[in-house]
Amino acid sequence: MTDLPNIDTALFERPSSDRLGVPQNAEHAPKILLLYGSLRERSFSRLAVEEAARLLTAMGAETRIFDPKGLPLPDAADASHPKVDELRTLAQWSEGMVWCSPERHGAMTGIMKAQIDWIPLSLGGVRPTQGKTLAVMQVCGGSQSFNTVNQLRILGRWMRMLTIPNQSSVPKAFMEFDENNRMKPSPFYDRIVDVMEELVKFTLLVRERSDLLTDRYSERKESAEEISKRVNQRAI
């Protein structure tokens, strides 16, 4: 906890598998992938994601942060591109995700959307995001807004992810980080703590049950090969 100076250790809680009734055969650390939506040298969405990753680690999760620098635009390169392959491999590895984007022109950034667009709906009939948990966050240059987190929720639903109820929106993000690029103590920091705690709890609850929760009648009627052909069919 020495790396979390804003935390009151007496109140900090590491989510417990026992209290949540998680099956004992699923004791590995929750695997969380974090995406951010800016390439600026001092990217506040990246700094927010780094704070989130520290919190997740303290809560017992294993984290990976994807660096979008060098990721081509969707359809501008083949899926074998190293950055695309890295992102897709991490998406398959993860059990949950954190998406954090700046708000630009009232929406998420193109960099954020490009990352999500490169994660396919189907890989050989298997949906790499279906049943995974998701937490959404945004940083704002001005007053607080929820445009971006609302858009991210729509995308999470489209990707068949289980988006947790809580979310984070940090207004005037340039005022919320110190000269060491660490987030200052504030209610906005506390909200990120809340969101990460909730994400870990939902991830623990869902894993080992994801296949059951996402099992559908319509898909039981259709083979994986047929699903792959239908989902990945090329436009004429």
Side-chain angles (χ1 to χ4, degrees), residues 140-160:
C140 310
S143 58
Q144 191 173 47
S145 163
F146 300 95
N147 293 324
T148 296
V149 286
N150 289 337
Q151 291 180 327
L152 292 172
R153 284 187 177 278
I154 292 171
L155 289 173
R157 184 173 69 241
W158 187 260
M159 303 294 280
R160 296 190 176 182

Side-chain angles (χ1 to χ4, degrees), residues 148-188:
T148 296
V149 286
N150 289 337
Q151 291 180 327
L152 292 172
R153 284 187 177 278
I154 292 171
L155 289 173
R157 184 173 69 241
W158 187 260
M159 303 294 280
R160 296 190 176 182
M161 303 181 76
L162 299 172
T163 309
I164 66 170
N166 216 335
Q167 61 188 25
S168 168
S169 175
V170 181
K172 297 182 180 178
F174 61 91
M175 297 179 63
E176 296 302 322
F177 293 86
D178 63 23
E179 64 278 5
N180 296 313
N181 290 330
R182 295 301 305 271
M183 196 167 182
K184 301 173 185 177
S186 72
F188 302 117

Side-chain angles (χ1 to χ4, degrees), residues 169-216:
S169 175
V170 181
K172 297 182 180 178
F174 61 91
M175 297 179 63
E176 296 302 322
F177 293 86
D178 63 23
E179 64 278 5
N180 296 313
N181 290 330
R182 295 301 305 271
M183 196 167 182
K184 301 173 185 177
S186 72
F188 302 117
Y189 177 85
D190 292 345
R191 174 58 68 90
I192 292 179
V193 179
D194 291 347
V195 173
M196 294 308 111
E197 183 179 338
E198 190 170 292
L199 177 64
V200 172
K201 289 177 179 177
F202 272 77
T203 304
L204 289 172
L205 283 170
V206 168
R207 70 177 184 187
E208 300 300 315
R209 301 180 173 114
S210 181
D211 290 343
L212 174 63
L213 292 171
T214 57
D215 183 42
R216 294 178 176 85

